Structure formats: structure tokens, C-alpha cells
Amino acid sequence: MGLFDSLKKNLDTISKEVGKVAGDLQKELEQYKTNQPAQAPQQQAYQAPQPQQSYQAPKAEEGSVYPKFTAERDQTAKFDDIIARHFADCTVRKNVPAAELKPDCHPACTPVQYMFYRDGRPVLAIVLVSRRTYNGMNVKGTKMICENLGINYERFYNDMENEESYVVNRIRENL
């Protein structure tokens, strides 16, 4: 018995098995069709889930002016307040695109949340980042742009508490 005879025998066996499976599938399909109801069931209208409860802002700890800040928008509000109270004499712009500093930068570069200016020239860039994203290429790109232009660069983590005195001291050191 040669190789081709062996292959033909195996092919015949496979063909018979496929035929059996196909026959079984045909029988199941016919049974399925005969057991189906005459009309399709009516669909019910979609009902949106009810809201669980409204958002409650975190409460301030005793002796603290600020509640525990964890969300970026809370940190932004906190930084807005700190900068307005302690650096009112400075020119500060919010959310300055990296492309404004270097027009040919990558479009994904992180914008500078707070840019401090002295005599119309940027001197300090503050970026709010999370502990998971601070080392991303978009953040590194903005940092490199600032360093190449001689602009001091500071980052604060928006998922950590930033005590007011800590923020003020770091800004003053770099101005």
C-alpha cells in the first residue's frame, strides 16, 4: 500500500465522518424549526437604569481648609485658589498648549496647566499629572520643550494631596 492509497483511505474516512455530522446538523435544524413558535416574541421597550445617588463632595478634615482632593478637577480648583491668593502679582495663563511654546511639537504633548510669566516671557510651567501617567511620552515631550526653552518645569500629582504650603514653596523656588 503506497502513500497515496493511505491518504485516499484517510480522506474517505474523514468524508464519511463529515457526512454523519452534516446529517446530524440537518436533523437538529429541522427539529429547531418545528419547535419554533409561529410568531416572534414581542420586544419590551428599553428602560434606562435609575441613578443610584447624587455625587457628594468630600468633607474637609478637621483643621484643614480643603477637603481631600483626589479628582483632577478638584486639584485644578485648589491650584486656582492657591495661585490667586499667593501669586496675584504674577501673570499666569491656564492650559497653554505645548504647540504655543514649540509649534512643531507632537500634537499629543500635554498642555501646561499653569504658565507663569515674567516680563512677558514664560518662566515656570506647572503640569498636573497622575502617578500612572507622569512618565508618558506626552508629558515627557512637554517637559523637554520647557527645558530646551529654559522654562522651569514643575509637576504635581493630581491623585495625591498637595498641601498648600508645599505647593506655594515649590512655585516660589522656581520663580
Side-chain angles (χ1 to χ4, degrees), residues 20-30:
K20 288 180 187 176
V21 170
D24 291 345
L25 286 174
Q26 185 66 32
K27 287 178 188 175
E28 286 183 31
L29 180 61
E30 289 172 14

Side-chain angles (χ1 to χ4, degrees), residues 53 114 139:
Q53 67 184 99
Y114 300 96
V139 177

Side-chain angles (χ1 to χ4, degrees), residues 54-60 67-68 73-74:
S54 62
Y55 172 75
Q56 292 287 329
K59 302 288 184 219
K68 285 195 169 198
R73 67 173 179 251
D74 293 337

